Amino acid sequence: MAQTINAGATPIPDFDAIIIGAGMSGLYQLYRLREQGLRIRVFEAGTEVGGTWYWNRYPGARFDSESYSYGYSFSQELLQEWEWSEHFAGQPETLRYLNHVADKFDLRRDIQFRSRVTAAVYAEDTRSWTITLEDGAQHSTRFLITAIGPLSTPTLPRIEGRDDFKGASFHTARWPKAPVDFSGKRVAVIGTGATGVQTIQTIAGQVGHLTVFQRTPNWCAPLHNGKIDAETQAKIKASYPDMFARCKETFACFLHTPDPRGAFEVSDEEREAFYEKLYAERGFGIWQGNFKDILIDRKANATISEFVARKIRQRVKNQAVAEKLIPRNHGFGTRRLPLETFYYEVYNQDNVELVDINETPIERITPDGIRTSDREYIFDIIIYATGFDAITGSFDKIDFRGVGGARLTDKWKRGPETYLGIMVHEFPNMLMLMGPHTALGNIPRSIEYSVDWVTGLILFAMEKRLTRLEATPEGVKFWTDHVKALGEGLLSNEVNSWMTGINSNVEGKQTRIVARYSGSAPAYRARCDEVAAKGYAELRLG
Ligand code: NAP
């Protein structure tokens, strides 16, 4: 049954809701709103669904949350019919999964691919948004939902001569669809974040020679991936309700959650044994399931940093190389932890070289390769694993104009200001999924919550015949101050990373900001639930 959100405001917009992006958020939001009979259109820049899992098809891209805790939980049928082949599925499998979801729920008929949104303008007289696509086409909507992802605007390094290179070069998040043949090739990788680590460990065995240009080493821990056998598969399927219930209770929606003990509440031997156990276990346990104080207490953090440094020294044969791989400017887990599979052992291979660009900075890209202060390196392929203009970057790329033409980029010049990470004052009817100031963590779990909350708000508007929903300045100030306060005392907020809004390759992103919610996911949900339970009275409703 088709119904329309209008309540007398004219003219009727083309759609009840436009969703920007057909990644995990956009797909589920489309499913939920269409279920209500609303007129929805998704605009997606790519040629397929999948978002992050569509764009990031670089070699070795895979989950580092457990596959079964990552999939959608909203459909029992989907949960029971889909079989993850590995504890941490690779990107091709995840993309297949998302395509399966799109097919199963017949989502594609409301998605327009190859359609990049360049502008979105609010009109007060019609209480609607008009979006403009790259080709100039325009569409209007009552509600505008951004599902554009926190890590979806890749950034290339600002190094002179980048366009001069005669060989092939790729950013990991813009990887070609056709396979890249590495055999016998001289390959450079710039960047050693989670993406660089996965790429390096995957291609090191395929290339002729690999040179890794490292600016900042990251603390990495073993992923311990493995195939899922039939017996385990059956257990996983039977335990989905328990598993999702657990993800609802944990700090960041992972299966792991902090140990209630402090690092110094146990003996040295117990602490060491605990770290050994965590290092030998699958996934993020060593980061998310560690002592409760390692991410807030410098001394506690030093104990796990020293432990992992010892592991690196044991695994890397050349001790000079091992020392270069040990981070000095931040403690373990204060940046997003890359999980690895024999990453450190790669540096024991004869065909792999690590270049510390703090010692010998890159001067320029040349037609044949990369010149550092030391020498020129000759390459056939350069891989840029240089990350993203995170969290706010994808918002900056769209010209969002709110009431009276207010620009979102101006409003957020000194950092994002939001209400619950979902709404912005002067941007009525715009609802953000996984925008700044929301709980991220194990992201599909956060996505499902936020989509359900946004759906609830839109249904409320329909029921009450409301056509204008806006965050108040007081509400935004309260939430923004709250998010900043939550970040105080966290060691991660004293470190440069995408999580603190730093990107050396983007003008104006050299100052740390609080762009993400760092409290617990249950506390976040409790706050949002309370707002809904009180009839959204904190919003300006009209
Ligand atoms: P990233 O963590 O921001 O790492 C970018 C890397 O490039 C860093 O090593 C950085 O060095 C380096 N770099 C940037 N500009 C440079 C320049 N001009 N010269 C030299 N080096 C430069 O980005 P990412 O690795 O793509 O990961 C981003 C996030 O995506 C991760 O933290 C994670 O949340 C997500 N991710 C998830 C998965 C997964 O779930 N499996 C996999 C991959 C990524 P500095 O550190 O010195 O800036």
Side-chain angles (χ1 to χ4, degrees):
M1 182 205 40
Q3 36 188 323
T4 283
I5 305 167
N6 197 43
T10 52
I12 298 175
D14 299 339
F15 299 102
D16 296 319
I18 281 179
I19 300 166
I20 311 177
M24 283 201 86
S25 316
L27 289 178
Y28 181 47
Q29 186 67 80
L30 167 59
Y31 170 81
R32 291 286 275 129
L33 289 178
R34 211 174 60 185
E35 213 178 28
Q36 303 299 328
L38 300 188
R39 296 168 310 137
I40 313 296
R41 176 64 54 88
V42 179
F43 292 100
E44 163 59 51
T47 60
E48 281 175 49
V49 300
T52 285
W53 300 104
Y54 166 82
W55 294 103
N56 287 274
R57 47 187 111 84
Y58 60 84
R62 67 173 59 251
F63 286 153
D64 38 26
S65 320
E66 289 75 2
S67 312
Y68 26 89
S69 80
Y70 194 100
Y72 290 116
S73 72
F74 69 86
S75 159
Q76 284 311 313
E77 206 178 278
L78 176 63
L79 285 167
Q80 293 307 316
E81 75 193 9
W82 185 262
E83 306 216 323
W84 295 105
S85 69
E86 292 176 282
H87 288 277
F88 302 90
Q91 174 271 340
E93 186 170 343
T94 309
L95 189 56
R96 273 200 306 280
Y97 169 74
L98 293 172
N99 273 289
H100 171 76
V101 171
D103 289 338
K104 182 175 175 67
F105 299 105
D106 190 20
L107 299 178
R108 277 194 196 80
R109 70 181 152 93
D110 290 316
I111 305 173
Q112 188 173 317
F113 294 101
R114 295 186 177 84
S115 300
R116 185 173 287 285
V117 174
T118 56
V121 179
Y122 177 73
E124 196 65 272
D125 53 348
T126 55
R127 299 181 162 196
S128 67
W129 284 87
T130 298
I131 61 109
T132 305
L133 301 175
E134 221 161 23
D135 66 4
Q138 294 193 319
H139 303 274
S140 62
T141 177
R142 174 75 62 226
F143 292 103
L144 177 65
I145 302 175
T146 66
I148 54 184
L151 293 158
S152 46
T153 297
T155 48
L156 287 162
R158 295 190 283 188
I159 305 176
E160 217 181 309
R162 230 183 43 223
D163 295 335
D164 300 344
F165 183 59
K166 288 189 304 202
S169 63
F170 318 105
H171 190 287
T172 44
R174 290 293 177 271
W175 200 262
K177 284 184 181 163
V180 175
D181 179 12
F182 289 108
S183 52
K185 300 275 171 33
R186 296 159 297 183
V187 181
V189 175
I190 303 179
T192 50
T195 302
V197 166
Q198 289 184 336
T199 306
I200 292 162
Q201 69 196 13
T202 305
I203 64 170
Q206 305 167 22
V207 298
H209 192 276
L210 176 66
T211 310
V212 176
F213 291 88
Q214 174 188 270
R215 186 165 67 185
T216 312
N218 282 299
W219 297 102
C220 309
L223 176 68
H224 297 300
N225 194 15
K227 296 265 179 236
I228 298 175
D229 59 31
E231 195 187 327
T232 313
Q233 192 75 255
K235 276 190 196 150
I236 289 169
K237 288 190 181 179
S239 64
Y240 272 130
D242 292 345
M243 202 151 46
F244 292 125
R246 172 154 178 81
C247 290
K248 249 196 186 127
E249 287 166 6
T250 60
F251 191 89
C253 313
F254 292 104
L255 291 171
H256 319 273
T257 206
D259 190 281
R261 299 167 299 170
F264 297 107
E265 288 173 25
V266 298
S267 68
D268 291 354
E269 293 72 27
E270 278 174 297
R271 189 185 318 114
E272 185 74 7
F274 184 53
Y275 289 161
E276 283 290 359
K277 174 178 163 293
L278 291 175
Y279 201 77
E281 282 174 358
R282 279 190 213 311
F284 275 142
I286 194 163
W287 186 34
Q288 295 292 321
N290 212 314
F291 292 120
K292 66 177 181 191
D293 51 359
I294 64 147
L295 300 179
I296 48 175
D297 179 304
R298 249 169 265 282
K299 284 191 179 148
N301 185 274
T303 63
I304 180 69
S305 299
E306 282 157 20
F307 173 86
V308 178
R310 277 204 303 282
K311 290 288 181 195
I312 298 172
R313 291 187 185 106
Q314 285 162 14
R315 291 174 59 184
V316 178
K317 287 188 185 140
N318 180 327
Q319 289 304 291
V321 174
E323 293 308 315
K324 285 182 188 170
L325 289 165
I326 297 172
R328 313 280 165 191
N329 66 353
H330 66 282
F332 178 89
T334 61
R335 286 172 138 202
R336 159 56 155 81
L337 188 79
L339 291 180
E340 48 85 24
T341 304
F342 301 121
Y343 171 67
Y344 290 109
E345 285 72 12
V346 158
Y347 296 96
N348 298 333
Q349 288 179 212
D350 291 340
N351 68 334
V352 177
E353 180 181 3
L354 178 68
V355 176
D356 179 346
I357 60 170
N358 300 297
E359 287 172 6
T360 54
I362 295 177
E363 288 181 344
R364 62 171 300 134
I365 310 285
T366 66
D368 298 317
I370 295 178
R371 195 169 72 213
T372 68
S373 59
D374 180 42
R375 53 171 272 220
E376 182 175 9
Y377 295 79
I378 308 298
F379 296 115
D380 303 303
I381 300 172
I382 299 178
I383 298 173
Y384 297 106
T386 44
F388 302 88
D389 185 356
I391 303 181
T392 54
S394 298
F395 286 91
D396 295 345
K397 277 181 58 181
I398 298 173
D399 188 9
F400 287 102
R401 303 288 188 100
V403 174
R407 280 176 197 265
L408 190 63
T409 44
D410 289 340
K411 210 176 205 12
W412 286 0
K413 217 183 277 170
R414 285 181 304 280
E417 295 179 0
T418 79
Y419 175 70
L420 304 176
I422 298 174
M423 299 175 81
V424 181
H425 173 58
E426 290 184 320
F427 289 74
N429 298 355
M430 181 173 112
L431 302 157
M432 302 180 292
L433 298 172
M434 301 301 101
H437 297 174
T438 27
L440 297 174
N442 188 12
I443 206 157
R445 307 279 66 79
S446 306
I447 286 171
E448 284 187 335
Y449 178 79
S450 288
V451 166
D452 289 346
W453 195 90
V454 162
T455 306
L457 177 59
I458 291 176
L459 294 184
F460 173 84
M462 283 170 62
E463 195 189 310
K464 305 280 179 203
R465 300 178 67 75
L466 302 168
T467 49
R468 194 181 189 283
L469 313 173
E470 186 187 9
T472 63
E474 300 77 31
V476 168
K477 183 170 182 334
F478 175 83
W479 186 252
T480 303
D481 289 348
H482 174 61
V483 170
K484 285 184 183 164
L486 286 171
E488 275 168 30
L490 286 182
L491 299 178
S492 59
N493 276 3
E494 300 169 9
V495 172
N496 286 355
S497 76
W498 68 260
M499 299 200 291
T500 48
I502 299 290
N503 188 315
S504 67
N505 306 310
V506 181
E507 198 70 52
K509 301 228 167 153
Q510 275 74 53
T511 309
R512 280 183 216 144
I513 55 166
V514 179
R516 76 195 168 105
Y517 173 89
S518 47
S520 80
Y524 175 77
R525 290 192 297 263
R527 174 78 187 113
C528 294
D529 285 349
E530 187 193 340
V531 170
K534 290 185 177 161
Y536 308 95
E538 289 179 20
L539 295 176
R540 213 171 262 165
L541 304 171

